[in-house]
Amino acid sequence: MKHMSVFSPSVIKEGIPGEFESYKYTTLLLSDELAAYSHPPRANIGGIQAAIDDPPILTIPSNRQNGEIFIGYVADVEKYSKHSGYKSRFKYCLSGKELHHAYISGASRSGKTVVARRMVAEAYAHVRRGEKKKRLRFLIMDPKQDWRSLAKIIPSDHFRFYSLSDPEFHPAHLNLMKIPKGVYTERYADKLREIFIRSYGLGDRGFSILGKAINEVYREAGCFEPSVKYNRFDPKTGTYPATERSKNISLAAVCAKLQAEAEDPATKRDKAEAIQRIVDRMESFNEPDSTIYEIFCKTGDEGLGIDDLLGADDVIVLESYGMDTKTSAFVFGLLTSTVYQYAVSNGGFVEPENQYETILVIEEANQVLIGNEDTDNLGGANPFEVILDQSAGYGLFIWTLTQKIADMPDSVLANSAIKIIGRQDRKDDIDTSIVQIGKDGKIVDRVFKNWLPDQPIGWFIIKSSRNGSFSDNAPVHVMVEYLNIPSLNNEELDDVLRLGEVKRVNDEIEKYSEDYKTVFTNDQEGLTERQDTQDEAVQKRTRPVKRIDPYMPASKNR
C-alpha cells in the first residue's frame, strides 16, 4: 500500500534488493490523467494542426428520416470517418406540417442559396397541403441569377421566369400602378408611396408630396369614384373596376405631374426642391428609353399587375440581375406588400379553390425588408413588420436569405419558425444567432462564438420550432446535400420556357375539349328530354277525340 499512497512521481531511488532501479514511489494514473500525459504537443507545425477548437456538440436526432423536405445529413462532430468525414447516417428532413416563415442567414458564400434551392425543390415536389392536397406556389426574387437553374428540375409547364432588368429576354412588362384585383384604391396607393419613400430615403416631406401626386393621378383615372374605389368584382363585365381603370396609367404619369408642379412659378422654392428630389429618383420611370420604363411602365392590356404574376401552383422566378440597389429594394418591397394585400383582399391563399399557399423567397433580404429604425420619420408600423406578423394566417409565408441577420426586422426573428444559420462573421450576427438557437453565449455556450466564424461551407445549424416535442425543436448540425444541377444560359433557359408554354397551351386545349364534350353531352341530354316533353305535349294535343253521333241521344255523346 506504501507504493499507492501518493499520486505524484518521485525520482528518488528506493534501492530494494533484487529490484532493478526501483523508485521510492509509484504513480497510479486515471484514464484522463494518462491521456493528458500522452496528448500530442499543442504546437502549430507545418502539416500538423494542433490548436483547433472543438465544434459545439448538438443533438443527433433519429426521427427526422421521413419528412417531405430532405435537406441533408446530420453531422456527428464527435465521430470522424475516413470515408464520410463527420456525416452521420441520419437524414435531416422537415415535415410539410412544419412549413412557416423561415430565414437562412450566413456570410457571403456560406451556402445560403444552396439550402434554399434544396428546400424549394423538395417542398414543391413532395409537400401537399390541406384537405385537397394542393401543391405550394413559390415566388422567388433573384438578384443574382442563381435560381434559373430550377428550370432543370421543376416541370417545364409549372416553371415561369420573368426578367426585371433585361428587356430583351422574357421581360415582365409590369405596370406598378395597376391596382391588384380586389384591393382598395386607397390602400394600394398608400403602400406604393410608403415603400417608394422608404426605399429611396426621401423622408416625411416626400411622403406627403408623393402621396398627393399618386392620389391625383388615380383620381383623374376615375379610381376614386364611389362605385370603383372598393374594387369589387363586377359580374356584368367580369372585371374589377379599379384594376381596369388603373391599367391605363403608370408611374410616368406621377412623375410628369410632379415635374409640372416643380416648374410651376407659384410653387414655393423649398417645396419645389423637395419635389425635385422625388423627381430625380423617379426619372428612370419617366424616360421612354430607359430599361426601367420599358419593364415597369407598360400600360393597357400589355401591362401586368403584380397579382398577374402569381399564376397557379407554379414556381415563378423574378430575376433582377444588374438592377441598382434602391430600385431593386422598391420593386421587391412593393411585390412583397402587394402579394400580401392581394391575399388579404381575396380570402387568403388557403380556402379559395383557385389559390395555393404561397412562399415568397427573398434573396438579399436585408436590402428589401427594412429594419426596425424609422430613419425616414414616417411613424407608424413598419409595413414589413405587419406582413410578417399576419401573413401566415392567409397562407403566405416569407423565406428570407440574408447576410446580416442582426439588421433584420424584429418580426423576422420572432415569426420565423425555421431558423437556418451558416457561417457568421460580424459580432452582432454571431450574438443574434446564438440567442436564436436558444444559447446564451456565456460560460457554457462560449464555444458557439468560436464556432460560427469557422463553420465550414455547407454546414448549418437548423432549428425548427413547429413541433410538439422539445427534443424535435432542438438545434442540429446539418451538412446540406447540394442539388447537382448546372446553371443555364439564356439560350438553354429559353428552350425550357418555350417547352413549358407549349405544354400549357396543349393542356388548355385538352381542357377546353373536355369541357366542350361535357357541355355538348349535357346539351344533347337536355335536347332529348325537351324533345320527349314536346312529343308528350303533341300527343296530348292530337290524341283521338270521341266523335259525336248526331243520331244518338245527348247523354250517350258525353
PDB file of all heavy atoms in Angstrom, residues 531-553:
ATOM      1  N   GLN A 531     -87.267  17.131 -76.111  1.00  0.00           N
ATOM      2  CA  GLN A 531     -87.977  16.520 -77.231  1.00  0.00           C
ATOM      3  C   GLN A 531     -89.052  15.569 -76.724  1.00  0.00           C
ATOM      4  O   GLN A 531     -90.169  15.546 -77.243  1.00  0.00           O
ATOM      5  CB  GLN A 531     -86.982  15.765 -78.126  1.00  0.00           C
ATOM      6  CG  GLN A 531     -87.610  15.215 -79.406  1.00  0.00           C
ATOM      7  CD  GLN A 531     -88.089  16.324 -80.314  1.00  0.00           C
ATOM      8  OE1 GLN A 531     -87.383  17.295 -80.532  1.00  0.00           O
ATOM      9  NE2 GLN A 531     -89.327  16.203 -80.812  1.00  0.00           N
ATOM     10  N   ASP A 532     -88.695  14.788 -75.666  1.00  0.00           N
ATOM     11  CA  ASP A 532     -89.683  13.883 -75.092  1.00  0.00           C
ATOM     12  C   ASP A 532     -90.862  14.651 -74.550  1.00  0.00           C
ATOM     13  O   ASP A 532     -92.018  14.260 -74.740  1.00  0.00           O
ATOM     14  CB  ASP A 532     -89.038  13.055 -73.971  1.00  0.00           C
ATOM     15  CG  ASP A 532     -88.004  12.074 -74.510  1.00  0.00           C
ATOM     16  OD1 ASP A 532     -88.030  11.817 -75.734  1.00  0.00           O
ATOM     17  OD2 ASP A 532     -87.178  11.587 -73.704  1.00  0.00           O
ATOM     18  N   THR A 533     -90.580  15.776 -73.901  1.00  0.00           N
ATOM     19  CA  THR A 533     -91.664  16.588 -73.343  1.00  0.00           C
ATOM     20  C   THR A 533     -92.545  17.144 -74.453  1.00  0.00           C
ATOM     21  O   THR A 533     -93.782  17.150 -74.366  1.00  0.00           O
ATOM     22  CB  THR A 533     -91.094  17.744 -72.519  1.00  0.00           C
ATOM     23  OG1 THR A 533     -90.249  17.212 -71.510  1.00  0.00           O
ATOM     24  CG2 THR A 533     -92.206  18.561 -71.873  1.00  0.00           C
ATOM     25  N   GLN A 534     -91.916  17.620 -75.518  1.00  0.00           N
ATOM     26  CA  GLN A 534     -92.673  18.159 -76.640  1.00  0.00           C
ATOM     27  C   GLN A 534     -93.526  17.071 -77.293  1.00  0.00           C
ATOM     28  O   GLN A 534     -94.680  17.298 -77.675  1.00  0.00           O
ATOM     29  CB  GLN A 534     -91.720  18.777 -77.668  1.00  0.00           C
ATOM     30  CG  GLN A 534     -91.056  20.060 -77.167  1.00  0.00           C
ATOM     31  CD  GLN A 534     -90.006  20.561 -78.120  1.00  0.00           C
ATOM     32  OE1 GLN A 534     -89.725  19.925 -79.133  1.00  0.00           O
ATOM     33  NE2 GLN A 534     -89.413  21.705 -77.804  1.00  0.00           N
ATOM     34  N   ASP A 535     -92.979  15.857 -77.422  1.00  0.00           N
ATOM     35  CA  ASP A 535     -93.740  14.762 -78.033  1.00  0.00           C
ATOM     36  C   ASP A 535     -94.978  14.435 -77.214  1.00  0.00           C
ATOM     37  O   ASP A 535     -96.058  14.180 -77.759  1.00  0.00           O
ATOM     38  CB  ASP A 535     -92.859  13.513 -78.156  1.00  0.00           C
ATOM     39  CG  ASP A 535     -91.773  13.701 -79.213  1.00  0.00           C
ATOM     40  OD1 ASP A 535     -91.888  14.650 -80.016  1.00  0.00           O
ATOM     41  OD2 ASP A 535     -90.804  12.908 -79.218  1.00  0.00           O
ATOM     42  N   GLU A 536     -94.787  14.464 -75.845  1.00  0.00           N
ATOM     43  CA  GLU A 536     -95.936  14.199 -74.987  1.00  0.00           C
ATOM     44  C   GLU A 536     -97.005  15.273 -75.172  1.00  0.00           C
ATOM     45  O   GLU A 536     -98.206  14.985 -75.224  1.00  0.00           O
ATOM     46  CB  GLU A 536     -95.495  14.158 -73.522  1.00  0.00           C
ATOM     47  CG  GLU A 536     -94.639  12.940 -73.182  1.00  0.00           C
ATOM     48  CD  GLU A 536     -94.183  12.976 -71.743  1.00  0.00           C
ATOM     49  OE1 GLU A 536     -94.590  13.919 -71.030  1.00  0.00           O
ATOM     50  OE2 GLU A 536     -93.428  12.070 -71.346  1.00  0.00           O
ATOM     51  N   ALA A 537     -96.541  16.532 -75.298  1.00  0.00           N
ATOM     52  CA  ALA A 537     -97.497  17.631 -75.481  1.00  0.00           C
ATOM     53  C   ALA A 537     -98.263  17.464 -76.798  1.00  0.00           C
ATOM     54  O   ALA A 537     -99.467  17.690 -76.877  1.00  0.00           O
ATOM     55  CB  ALA A 537     -96.779  18.975 -75.442  1.00  0.00           C
ATOM     56  N   VAL A 538     -97.535  17.079 -77.827  1.00  0.00           N
ATOM     57  CA  VAL A 538     -98.177  16.892 -79.136  1.00  0.00           C
ATOM     58  C   VAL A 538     -99.192  15.765 -79.071  1.00  0.00           C
ATOM     59  O   VAL A 538    -100.307  15.864 -79.605  1.00  0.00           O
ATOM     60  CB  VAL A 538     -97.111  16.583 -80.220  1.00  0.00           C
ATOM     61  CG1 VAL A 538     -97.786  16.145 -81.518  1.00  0.00           C
ATOM     62  CG2 VAL A 538     -96.257  17.819 -80.458  1.00  0.00           C
ATOM     63  N   GLN A 539     -98.791  14.680 -78.357  1.00  0.00           N
ATOM     64  CA  GLN A 539     -99.718  13.560 -78.231  1.00  0.00           C
ATOM     65  C   GLN A 539    -100.986  13.986 -77.507  1.00  0.00           C
ATOM     66  O   GLN A 539    -102.091  13.574 -77.857  1.00  0.00           O
ATOM     67  CB  GLN A 539     -99.050  12.408 -77.484  1.00  0.00           C
ATOM     68  CG  GLN A 539     -97.962  11.707 -78.308  1.00  0.00           C
ATOM     69  CD  GLN A 539     -97.276  10.610 -77.510  1.00  0.00           C
ATOM     70  OE1 GLN A 539     -97.658  10.328 -76.375  1.00  0.00           O
ATOM     71  NE2 GLN A 539     -96.260  10.011 -78.119  1.00  0.00           N
ATOM     72  N   LYS A 540    -100.792  14.858 -76.469  1.00  0.00           N
ATOM     73  CA  LYS A 540    -101.971  15.326 -75.740  1.00  0.00           C
ATOM     74  C   LYS A 540    -102.869  16.170 -76.637  1.00  0.00           C
ATOM     75  O   LYS A 540    -104.079  16.088 -76.589  1.00  0.00           O
ATOM     76  CB  LYS A 540    -101.544  16.136 -74.514  1.00  0.00           C
ATOM     77  CG  LYS A 540    -100.930  15.281 -73.419  1.00  0.00           C
ATOM     78  CD  LYS A 540    -100.516  16.152 -72.239  1.00  0.00           C
ATOM     79  CE  LYS A 540     -99.877  15.279 -71.148  1.00  0.00           C
ATOM     80  NZ  LYS A 540     -99.435  16.111 -70.001  1.00  0.00           N
ATOM     81  N   ARG A 541    -102.179  17.004 -77.469  1.00  0.00           N
ATOM     82  CA  ARG A 541    -102.973  17.869 -78.337  1.00  0.00           C
ATOM     83  C   ARG A 541    -103.632  17.085 -79.479  1.00  0.00           C
ATOM     84  O   ARG A 541    -104.671  17.454 -79.976  1.00  0.00           O
ATOM     85  CB  ARG A 541    -102.086  18.971 -78.922  1.00  0.00           C
ATOM     86  CG  ARG A 541    -101.664  20.021 -77.911  1.00  0.00           C
ATOM     87  CD  ARG A 541    -101.137  21.261 -78.614  1.00  0.00           C
ATOM     88  NE  ARG A 541    -100.035  20.969 -79.506  1.00  0.00           N
ATOM     89  CZ  ARG A 541     -98.747  21.013 -79.127  1.00  0.00           C
ATOM     90  NH1 ARG A 541     -98.463  21.336 -77.878  1.00  0.00           N
ATOM     91  NH2 ARG A 541     -97.792  20.729 -79.985  1.00  0.00           N
ATOM     92  N   THR A 542    -103.017  15.985 -79.892  1.00  0.00           N
ATOM     93  CA  THR A 542    -103.516  15.279 -81.088  1.00  0.00           C
ATOM     94  C   THR A 542    -104.147  13.925 -80.769  1.00  0.00           C
ATOM     95  O   THR A 542    -104.369  13.135 -81.657  1.00  0.00           O
ATOM     96  CB  THR A 542    -102.346  15.039 -82.060  1.00  0.00           C
ATOM     97  OG1 THR A 542    -101.336  14.257 -81.401  1.00  0.00           O
ATOM     98  CG2 THR A 542    -101.752  16.353 -82.500  1.00  0.00           C
ATOM     99  N   ARG A 543    -104.404  13.644 -79.458  1.00  0.00           N
ATOM    100  CA  ARG A 543    -104.994  12.349 -79.137  1.00  0.00           C
ATOM    101  C   ARG A 543    -106.408  12.269 -79.723  1.00  0.00           C
ATOM    102  O   ARG A 543    -107.087  13.285 -79.872  1.00  0.00           O
ATOM    103  CB  ARG A 543    -105.030  12.142 -77.628  1.00  0.00           C
ATOM    104  CG  ARG A 543    -105.891  13.121 -76.872  1.00  0.00           C
ATOM    105  CD  ARG A 543    -105.720  12.967 -75.365  1.00  0.00           C
ATOM    106  NE  ARG A 543    -106.453  13.990 -74.661  1.00  0.00           N
ATOM    107  CZ  ARG A 543    -106.376  14.146 -73.355  1.00  0.00           C
ATOM    108  NH1 ARG A 543    -105.553  13.372 -72.642  1.00  0.00           N
ATOM    109  NH2 ARG A 543    -107.087  15.087 -72.751  1.00  0.00           N
ATOM    110  N   PRO A 544    -106.857  11.059 -80.063  1.00  0.00           N
ATOM    111  CA  PRO A 544    -108.186  10.903 -80.719  1.00  0.00           C
ATOM    112  C   PRO A 544    -109.323  11.491 -79.884  1.00  0.00           C
ATOM    113  O   PRO A 544    -109.362  11.297 -78.670  1.00  0.00           O
ATOM    114  CB  PRO A 544    -108.335   9.389 -80.829  1.00  0.00           C
ATOM    115  CG  PRO A 544    -106.940   8.862 -80.788  1.00  0.00           C
ATOM    116  CD  PRO A 544    -106.179   9.786 -79.887  1.00  0.00           C
ATOM    117  N   VAL A 545    -110.178  12.232 -80.534  1.00  0.00           N
ATOM    118  CA  VAL A 545    -111.338  12.841 -79.874  1.00  0.00           C
ATOM    119  C   VAL A 545    -112.567  11.982 -80.167  1.00  0.00           C
ATOM    120  O   VAL A 545    -112.775  11.543 -81.304  1.00  0.00           O
ATOM    121  CB  VAL A 545    -111.584  14.273 -80.388  1.00  0.00           C
ATOM    122  CG1 VAL A 545    -112.818  14.880 -79.716  1.00  0.00           C
ATOM    123  CG2 VAL A 545    -110.352  15.117 -80.136  1.00  0.00           C
ATOM    124  N   LYS A 546    -113.320  11.763 -79.139  1.00  0.00           N
ATOM    125  CA  LYS A 546    -114.530  10.939 -79.322  1.00  0.00           C
ATOM    126  C   LYS A 546    -115.515  11.639 -80.259  1.00  0.00           C
ATOM    127  O   LYS A 546    -115.845  12.791 -80.045  1.00  0.00           O
ATOM    128  CB  LYS A 546    -115.189  10.704 -77.974  1.00  0.00           C
ATOM    129  CG  LYS A 546    -116.352   9.729 -78.052  1.00  0.00           C
ATOM    130  CD  LYS A 546    -116.896   9.461 -76.668  1.00  0.00           C
ATOM    131  CE  LYS A 546    -118.036   8.453 -76.765  1.00  0.00           C
ATOM    132  NZ  LYS A 546    -118.591   8.164 -75.424  1.00  0.00           N
ATOM    133  N   ARG A 547    -115.896  10.918 -81.313  1.00  0.00           N
ATOM    134  CA  ARG A 547    -116.798  11.500 -82.308  1.00  0.00           C
ATOM    135  C   ARG A 547    -118.222  11.573 -81.769  1.00  0.00           C
ATOM    136  O   ARG A 547    -118.666  10.697 -81.039  1.00  0.00           O
ATOM    137  CB  ARG A 547    -116.799  10.678 -83.590  1.00  0.00           C
ATOM    138  CG  ARG A 547    -115.422  10.647 -84.268  1.00  0.00           C
ATOM    139  CD  ARG A 547    -115.506   9.853 -85.536  1.00  0.00           C
ATOM    140  NE  ARG A 547    -116.356  10.457 -86.508  1.00  0.00           N
ATOM    141  CZ  ARG A 547    -115.984  11.441 -87.334  1.00  0.00           C
ATOM    142  NH1 ARG A 547    -114.745  11.910 -87.295  1.00  0.00           N
ATOM    143  NH2 ARG A 547    -116.830  11.932 -88.216  1.00  0.00           N
ATOM    144  N   ILE A 548    -118.912  12.636 -82.171  1.00  0.00           N
ATOM    145  CA  ILE A 548    -120.309  12.820 -81.738  1.00  0.00           C
ATOM    146  C   ILE A 548    -121.239  12.300 -82.840  1.00  0.00           C
ATOM    147  O   ILE A 548    -121.147  12.705 -84.000  1.00  0.00           O
ATOM    148  CB  ILE A 548    -120.615  14.309 -81.478  1.00  0.00           C
ATOM    149  CG1 ILE A 548    -119.706  14.796 -80.339  1.00  0.00           C
ATOM    150  CG2 ILE A 548    -122.086  14.511 -81.133  1.00  0.00           C
ATOM    151  CD1 ILE A 548    -119.870  16.266 -80.044  1.00  0.00           C
ATOM    152  N   ASP A 549    -122.154  11.415 -82.426  1.00  0.00           N
ATOM    153  CA  ASP A 549    -123.128  10.863 -83.382  1.00  0.00           C
ATOM    154  C   ASP A 549    -124.429  11.648 -83.257  1.00  0.00           C
ATOM    155  O   ASP A 549    -125.059  11.630 -82.193  1.00  0.00           O
ATOM    156  CB  ASP A 549    -123.371   9.399 -83.058  1.00  0.00           C
ATOM    157  CG  ASP A 549    -124.215   8.717 -84.146  1.00  0.00           C
ATOM    158  OD1 ASP A 549    -124.793   9.431 -84.964  1.00  0.00           O
ATOM    159  OD2 ASP A 549    -124.249   7.483 -84.114  1.00  0.00           O
ATOM    160  N   PRO A 550    -124.760  12.386 -84.266  1.00  0.00           N
ATOM    161  CA  PRO A 550    -125.949  13.249 -84.147  1.00  0.00           C
ATOM    162  C   PRO A 550    -127.245  12.461 -83.992  1.00  0.00           C
ATOM    163  O   PRO A 550    -128.260  13.014 -83.610  1.00  0.00           O
ATOM    164  CB  PRO A 550    -125.933  14.035 -85.461  1.00  0.00           C
ATOM    165  CG  PRO A 550    -125.145  13.212 -86.401  1.00  0.00           C
ATOM    166  CD  PRO A 550    -124.153  12.485 -85.583  1.00  0.00           C
ATOM    167  N   TYR A 551    -127.191  11.167 -84.304  1.00  0.00           N
ATOM    168  CA  TYR A 551    -128.401  10.375 -84.212  1.00  0.00           C
ATOM    169  C   TYR A 551    -128.564   9.693 -82.864  1.00  0.00           C
ATOM    170  O   TYR A 551    -129.530   8.999 -82.633  1.00  0.00           O
ATOM    171  CB  TYR A 551    -128.436   9.311 -85.327  1.00  0.00           C
ATOM    172  CG  TYR A 551    -128.400   9.954 -86.703  1.00  0.00           C
ATOM    173  CD1 TYR A 551    -127.209   9.993 -87.419  1.00  0.00           C
ATOM    174  CD2 TYR A 551    -129.569  10.518 -87.255  1.00  0.00           C
ATOM    175  CE1 TYR A 551    -127.157  10.593 -88.662  1.00  0.00           C
ATOM    176  CE2 TYR A 551    -129.528  11.103 -88.505  1.00  0.00           C
ATOM    177  CZ  TYR A 551    -128.317  11.157 -89.193  1.00  0.00           C
ATOM    178  OH  TYR A 551    -128.293  11.749 -90.428  1.00  0.00           O
ATOM    179  N   MET A 552    -127.592   9.911 -81.990  1.00  0.00           N
ATOM    180  CA  MET A 552    -127.674   9.298 -80.667  1.00  0.00           C
ATOM    181  C   MET A 552    -128.133  10.342 -79.654  1.00  0.00           C
ATOM    182  O   MET A 552    -127.931  11.539 -79.858  1.00  0.00           O
ATOM    183  CB  MET A 552    -126.313   8.751 -80.245  1.00  0.00           C
ATOM    184  CG  MET A 552    -125.854   7.544 -81.083  1.00  0.00           C
ATOM    185  SD  MET A 552    -124.314   6.863 -80.478  1.00  0.00           S
ATOM    186  CE  MET A 552    -124.826   6.246 -78.889  1.00  0.00           C
ATOM    187  N   PRO A 553    -128.724   9.872 -78.569  1.00  0.00           N
ATOM    188  CA  PRO A 553    -129.130  10.834 -77.539  1.00  0.00           C
ATOM    189  C   PRO A 553    -127.922  11.591 -76.984  1.00  0.00           C
ATOM    190  O   PRO A 553    -126.803  11.107 -76.994  1.00  0.00           O
ATOM    191  CB  PRO A 553    -129.780   9.945 -76.475  1.00  0.00           C
ATOM    192  CG  PRO A 553    -130.143   8.697 -77.185  1.00  0.00           C
ATOM    193  CD  PRO A 553    -129.134   8.503 -78.263  1.00  0.00           C
TER     194      PRO A 553
END
